[in-house]
Amino acid sequence: MIDVSDLTKSYGAIEALRGVSFHIAPGEIVGLLGPNGAGKTTCIKILTGYLQPDSGAVTVNGLDVLTHTRQVQSQLGYLPESAPLYPELSVQAYLKMIAELRQIPEEEQMPRLSEAIYAAGLEDHLTRPIGQLSKGYRQRVGLAQAIVHQPRLLILDEPTIGLDPTQVVEIRRLIRRLAEHSTILFSTHILSEVEALCDRVIILISGQIKADARLTELAATSDAVLVLDRAPDHVERALRSLGGVRGVEPLGLPEGHPAYRILGRQEAGAEASDLCPAIYDLARREGWPLRELRRDVRTLETVFNELATTA
């Protein structure tokens, strides 16, 4: 659905994008994650044809964005960070205007509008001026205008920014429903948004892609955590002697019991190995008073911080 190849964009001396490349297949819901100023909005503006890159290629559904801009824009729905709303218009008047601008035939407008209105949960607010709606409902109106023409691709830029927790949950539910029929790319700097909505994340830091993987792949690690009832002699030395172990970190005494993180070696691109069977065999041979042994799991926050600090 989306192919991006070696995209670059600079604003004077500031490099907003530096060799960005990725692919998004039909039906995926992908989070574009990064801190403020990482280049997320610049990337999205280029994908939607609102900004021209310095170099690189972008295709959407097989069409080059630079040479077929209007055709690409007709196939996608876009909710920018600041939704283009007219506060003096009622919800139904605004969405009717969008349907006209999208050149939806008159006979198709009513069913398309009804579907978008019910999908966004706006059926009880049609006659209200947009300016009188809460921020959460204004976001719903923005989403409704983005889907009224039933796009195959939906691009959302910070769709939950500034919303209260209840509104965030409502918008998440709406995005999940929309994902049943559309490929979705949304940008955010909020880690919980990606964990709640996405199977896959692209992490953009300082204009470069630092990670592009499924959340399960990012969370996978070769590390293990061992908790004992008491600390035997030379436990760290014995753990370091195991094959595949690159280090041992004492974790202190949680609940009064000595604990250790055993760091596994992992080759780039290789599947994370599980050290637990070897550690269990060692503990049994040595007679260690085993209390807990589990494979460690990295959170998205841990991965993001590791990438941000090495950028």
Side-chain angles (χ1 to χ4, degrees):
M1 181 59 72
I2 299 177
D3 276 297
V4 176
S5 177
D6 202 23
L7 209 59
T8 66
K9 179 64 180 178
S10 297
Y11 300 100
I14 300 173
E15 291 183 289
L17 297 176
R18 297 186 286 169
V20 169
S21 300
F22 60 86
H23 169 79
I24 296 177
E28 284 192 292
I29 176 167
V30 178
L32 183 60
L33 177 65
N36 291 327
K40 303 186 301 298
T41 296
T42 295
C43 185
I44 280 181
K45 285 183 176 179
I46 292 173
L47 289 177
T48 54
Y50 287 95
L51 191 65
Q52 203 165 35
D54 296 335
S55 64
V58 182
T59 62
V60 173
N61 198 24
L63 296 172
D64 186 280
V65 172
L66 296 180
T67 56
H68 300 88
T69 305
R70 291 298 178 88
Q71 288 176 265
V72 169
Q73 289 175 341
S74 70
Q75 296 184 23
L76 61 85
Y78 176 37
L79 176 62
E81 187 173 345
S82 298
L85 306 178
Y86 293 83
E88 69 279 5
L89 292 181
S90 68
V91 172
Q92 61 183 5
Y94 172 74
L95 293 177
K96 171 69 173 175
M97 180 188 73
I98 294 298
E100 295 285 353
L101 291 173
R102 285 291 187 180
Q103 299 181 336
I104 297 174
E106 187 70 31
E107 64 274 12
E108 296 180 21
Q109 286 188 15
M110 187 58 68
R112 297 279 188 94
L113 287 168
S114 296
E115 186 173 341
I117 287 164
Y118 280 100
L122 291 167
E123 59 271 20
D124 295 330
H125 302 274
L126 295 179
T127 59
R128 293 186 62 187
I130 292 172
Q132 295 180 9
L133 298 176
S134 68
K135 187 161 186 178
Y137 273 98
R138 291 199 299 272
Q139 284 291 82
R140 288 171 180 258
V141 175
L143 282 167
Q145 68 81 24
I147 63 174
V148 70
H149 58 302
Q150 299 177 343
R152 296 179 61 189
L153 172 62
L154 190 58
I155 298 180
L156 312 174
D157 192 1
E158 302 282 4
T160 61
I161 191 168
L163 303 185
D164 65 39
T166 301
Q167 294 167 338
V168 168
V169 170
E170 291 172 350
I171 295 299
R172 284 178 183 172
R173 288 174 181 162
L174 175 55
I175 292 173
R176 287 194 196 97
R177 290 201 300 272
L178 296 175
E180 296 174 4
H181 307 287
S182 301
T183 301
I184 296 181
L185 171 67
F186 77 93
S187 79
T188 183
H189 63 277
I190 303 172
L191 300 178
S192 59
E193 290 297 292
V194 174
E195 291 178 318
L197 291 169
C198 299
D199 291 324
R200 178 179 161 214
V201 60
I202 298 171
I203 298 179
L204 190 65
I205 297 176
S206 300
Q208 293 181 301
I209 290 181
K210 297 297 183 179
D212 181 356
R214 294 192 171 275
L215 292 181
T216 52
E217 294 171 351
L218 287 176
T221 174
S222 297
D223 302 346
V225 173
L226 173 68
V227 183
L228 303 172
D229 271 331
R230 54 181 173 78
D233 295 334
H234 314 302
V235 62
E236 291 185 42
R237 183 192 305 169
L239 289 168
R240 287 192 181 95
S241 70
L242 290 174
V245 172
R246 61 182 172 86
V248 178
E249 294 179 350
L251 297 177
L253 300 170
E255 300 181 354
H257 303 288
Y260 309 88
R261 176 177 287 111
I262 299 92
L263 307 176
R265 293 192 181 93
Q266 185 176 348
E267 300 296 329
E271 185 176 347
S273 59
D274 187 0
L275 290 173
C276 289
I279 295 171
Y280 176 78
D281 288 341
L282 174 63
R284 187 178 59 179
R285 289 196 308 270
E286 298 292 331
W288 293 346
L290 185 63
R291 186 175 185 86
E292 180 183 357
L293 175 61
R294 59 180 169 82
R295 192 169 182 174
D296 201 14
V297 177
R298 297 190 302 172
T299 64
L300 183 57
E301 181 178 5
T302 301
V303 174
F304 185 80
N305 287 336
E306 287 176 358
L307 295 172
T309 54
T310 58

